[in-house]
Amino acid sequence: MTTTEPPDRAPSRGLAAAWSRAAGALARPVDIAWLAAFRALFGLTMCVSMARFIAYGWIDELFVKPSFHFKYWGFAWVEPLPPAGMHALFWALGALALAIALGLMFRVAAPLFVVGFTYLQVIDVTTYLNHYYLASLLGLLLAVSPAHRAWSVDALFSRRRERSVPAAWLYLFRFQVGVVYTFAGLAKAHGDWLLHAQPLRIWLGSRTDMPVLGPLFTHPWAAPLMSWAGFLFDTSIVWLLLVRRLRPFAYVAVILFHAVTRALFPIGMFPVIMVLSALVFFPPTWPGWLVARARALLGHGSAGGHGSAGEQPALAGDLAASPAAPPARRLRALGLALGAAYCAVQLALPLRFLAYGGNVRWHEQGMRFSWRVMVREKNGSVTFIVRNTQTGRTWHVSPREYLTRQQEREMAGQPDLILQLSRHIRGDFERRGRGPVEVRADALVSLNGRRIARLIDPGVDLASVRDGIAPASYILPGPKEPPPHLRPL
């Protein structure tokens, strides 16, 4: 007698087999050299970044000088340290970054750096930059990885030295870098960027005095050409880096692209971070191959040393995968689940703008943490109208009474920051005995060269509006017309 398997069990067995194959591929050992090299390069980059803050006086400008700080939703309790404490923190972060590069007390240094550097970003929303956010994410991935088990001081003094790591780490770092490029490209898929070459047309128009490149920016085709080049680069570079034969040429394109953007625009360490991050698309053995090539050029050995420029070969002996004990399997399953959750969050954050509708570059809801790099130019001015509800007396208040110039520039085009300052102004007036008051905003903003339009409903008492993640009704719809005096391609 023969029996047949119940139909409902067949799909479950197929899913189990697929999961087993996926888990096996993620557990496959690969050379640890790529992770150790990335750790060293990341640590050195962040050490230089902290030194720049100290040398250029940005600590005082961004964290000490402001008397009011804009808060992220849910983080109103975060406050800056006293001036001496802020300066000490940057010196400490520089030392921790150097320790990460050296692999010195890595399990302590890396988490402390991530916490400290993330704390800096949470102090004030107006300091938000995409590459600061990316640095926190890369630091977090490094902190939980075994990046210190090779090419490090820790490995030098430890009996536990690793030659391999599970391939899951390589795929996770590639995923993170791929998310940045992909969503940066998708964020440019709109009429302003592709049809009207905005905001590049505005920015390049202010760079015509640059040597060599400046005169080229005066041509009408310059902005459209560079807009399309930026869009195509961001949307395709990850796929080109994944192709072995195209990878060297793609990496040269990465270097050239970020060198040009760094020369044209004040975007800090972002180009450096992206150029170094793109190295994760090379075979895991690339550091060993590079060392062997350098030794060969110096006449100290053969170029065919450990490592290869080709794809990662199968590892044998102690690097081969072996069946895991039940506790190890459970730990591995937990790690895979956490990795999958991390990836889901990284996809959900850039896509959350879909829940708000409208033009995200105008209303800004879903703008941060979504890799919308350099897709809008906003200029505006805000005047707050404060009215005593009992006497009817009215005051016109300039943001400069409360903000630094940098804070005011950032606040002018971001509705949630206008809302925060409105509530702060109400509190200030009531503390001075001028309350109770209503606070309204006359916010006039231009997006990507369009005519000035009102961003905030002037009839809404912003001081009575509660901040949150729900769609904001106090934000007026953005302008529908394209930027003026510009013809589509």
Side-chain angles (χ1 to χ4, degrees), residues 3 83 89 150 200 244 332 373 413 440 443-444 450 456 480 488:
T3 60
L89 176 59
L200 268 184
R244 181 175 62 86
R332 180 182 298 172
V373 183
R440 293 175 171 81
L444 302 175
R450 290 177 174 83
I456 303 295
K480 302 293 184 182

Side-chain angles (χ1 to χ4, degrees), residues 23 213 224 296 313 317 345 395:
L213 294 178
V345 170
W395 296 266

Side-chain angles (χ1 to χ4, degrees), residues 1 128 193 349 372 404 437 443:
M1 178 182 295
Y128 171 83
W193 187 274
L349 284 177
R372 295 179 175 273
T404 65
V437 297

Side-chain angles (χ1 to χ4, degrees), residues 296-364:
L297 290 174
L298 294 175
H300 295 302
S302 169
H306 177 69
S308 168
E311 294 299 332
Q312 173 70 15
L315 297 174
D318 62 323
L319 299 186
S322 59
R329 287 200 298 268
R330 288 193 292 270
L331 187 61
R332 180 182 298 172
L334 176 61
L336 292 177
L338 292 175
Y342 175 87
C343 293
V345 170
Q346 292 306 310
L347 293 175
L349 284 177
L351 292 174
R352 74 188 190 280
F353 79 98
L354 297 173
Y356 296 102
N359 186 347
V360 65
R361 297 178 302 283
W362 175 257
H363 60 64
E364 299 279 333

